[in-house]
């Protein structure tokens, strides 16, 4: 039920983008809000997927290719149908978040390696990484200091491209995914709990996700007030992730992992959906 809900919000948002004359007043506001809800729902799925995937680099590449495909279709819509999307599509933000997580993980993992080399064998050093993802794509070993430098550069580049190229939801969306990745970290799953069929493994994960998303929203609101850039319309952006976090505590998750072809279809859904809306807009 999680992905269908995300697609539903996405289609409602695209209806407002492609047919603005038919969605005015309160309907225009609802389509605007639904876009942020869709982003947040899929952002939580990306955060959970970063824990489950066996190949983070391939996950990143697939998201990046899908983002480029969406951008090509969006370019056609802008040039031939005068449709304006405002920001780069959300798949770029999702891909950048994986890059940011990998960069931070690489830096932390290499730092742990460097420190552990200086600790005696019986020193009791725990080398478990904070982020819990591979230090680098592939199975090769990297020296600690070059790995730390490369990791920090990767993380910094992820933030830079998100802000410079104006990816969807910007820095706020990027940090939201990283925080959800931390909130959904691996832990023992209780055999009986009310959230066992949702994206959350237990009540602690759910509580962490709510606290992190709410704290991020209030932090950005506070910064906007201090810098005198507060805009009421941005409240939708800041609190949509909180609403999505609450919503995913109710929506059930698939019991079985999707097959290979369904996985490929999920990456192609956004470019195909925008292409479909382009076709409808051309015909009406």
């Amino acid at each position: 039920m999680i992905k269908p809900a995300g697609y539903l919000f996405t289609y409602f948002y695209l209806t407002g983008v492609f047919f603005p004359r038919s969605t005015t007043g309160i309907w225009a506001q609802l389509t605007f809000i639904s876009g942020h809800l869709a982003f947040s729902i899929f952002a939580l799925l990306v955060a959970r997927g970063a824990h489950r995937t066996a190949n983070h680099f391939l996950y990143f590449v697939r998201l990046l290719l899908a983002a480029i495909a969406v951008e090509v279709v969006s370019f056609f819509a802008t040039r031939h149908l005068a449709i304006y999307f405002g920001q780069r599509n959300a798949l770029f933000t999702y891909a950048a978040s994986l890059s940011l997580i990998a960069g931070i993980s690489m830096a932390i993992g290499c730092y742990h390696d460097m420190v552990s080399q200086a600790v005696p064998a019986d020193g009791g050093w725990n080398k478990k990484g904070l982020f819990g993802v591979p230090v680098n794509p592939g199975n090769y070993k990297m020296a600690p200091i070059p790995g730390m430098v490369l990791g920090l550069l990767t993380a910094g580049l992820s933030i830079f491209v998100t802000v410079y190229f104006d990816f969807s939801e910007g820095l706020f969306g990027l940090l939201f995914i990283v925080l959800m990745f931390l909130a959904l970290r691996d832990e023992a799953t209780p055999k009986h709990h009310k959230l066992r069929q949702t994206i959350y493994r237990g009540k602690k994960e759910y509580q962490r996700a709510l606290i992190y998303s709410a704290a991020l929203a209030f932090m950005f609101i506070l910064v906007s007030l201090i810098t005198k850039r507060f805009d009421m319309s941005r409240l939708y952006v800041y609190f949509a992730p909180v609403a999505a976090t609450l919503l995913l505590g109710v929506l059930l998750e698939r019991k079985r992992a999707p097959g290979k072809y369904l996985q490929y279809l999920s990456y192609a859904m956004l470019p195909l959906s925008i292409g479909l809306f382009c076709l409808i807009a051309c015909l009406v």
Side-chain angles (χ1 to χ4, degrees), residues 64-79:
L64 183 60
L65 291 176
I68 294 172
V70 171
E71 207 61 24
V72 171
V73 181
S74 301
F75 177 77
F76 171 85
T78 301
R79 181 156 188 171

Side-chain angles (χ1 to χ4, degrees), residues 79-280:
R79 181 156 188 171
H80 297 282
L81 300 173
I83 301 298
Y84 180 65
F85 289 92
Q87 292 180 305
R88 302 292 181 187
N89 69 80
L91 296 180
F92 279 120
T93 312
Y94 300 152
S97 69
L98 290 179
S99 178
L100 177 59
I101 290 170
I104 297 174
S105 177
M106 184 184 298
I108 293 175
C110 288
Y111 171 76
H112 284 179
D113 284 346
M114 182 176 64
V115 175
S116 63
Q117 290 175 11
V119 175
D122 59 349
W125 174 256
N126 181 11
K127 295 179 64 177
K128 183 179 180 182
L130 173 64
F131 285 79
V133 297
V135 170
N136 43 51
N139 295 317
Y140 58 89
K141 188 71 174 177
M142 180 175 287
I145 293 180
M148 288 173 60
V149 173
L150 183 58
L152 292 175
L153 287 175
T154 302
L157 182 61
S158 303
I159 296 172
F160 172 76
V161 297
T162 299
V163 175
Y164 183 79
F165 291 105
D166 197 19
F167 291 171
S168 179
E169 307 295 336
L171 184 61
F172 176 81
L174 193 70
L175 294 178
F176 172 68
I177 298 173
V178 174
L179 287 177
M180 291 305 99
F181 180 81
L182 290 174
L184 302 179
R185 60 180 178 265
D186 294 333
E187 61 180 27
T189 306
K191 292 184 179 179
H192 302 286
H193 61 85
K194 295 180 180 179
L195 302 170
R196 61 180 176 174
Q197 294 183 356
T198 68
I199 196 174
Y200 307 106
R201 288 198 177 100
K203 189 179 293 184
K204 288 184 179 180
E205 280 194 355
Y206 189 38
Q207 291 172 344
R208 278 199 303 264
L210 282 174
I211 291 171
Y212 290 0
S213 59
L216 182 66
F218 283 115
M219 184 187 74
F220 269 74
I221 291 173
L222 180 61
V223 170
S224 65
L225 288 172
I226 293 173
T227 58
K228 297 181 179 181
R229 295 181 179 179
F230 180 75
D231 185 356
M232 286 295 293
S233 64
R234 296 291 295 175
L235 290 178
Y236 299 133
V237 178
Y238 298 147
F239 285 108
V242 181
T245 304
L246 285 167
L247 182 62
L248 263 63
V250 178
L251 297 178
L252 301 182
E253 193 178 24
R254 285 176 59 99
K255 292 183 179 180
R256 295 181 180 179
K260 181 173 66 174
Y261 294 108
L262 279 179
Q263 286 183 346
Y264 291 152
L265 180 61
S266 66
Y267 289 108
M269 278 299 295
L270 188 56
L272 288 176
S273 299
I274 295 179
L276 177 62
F277 271 85
C278 285
L279 180 61
I280 295 173

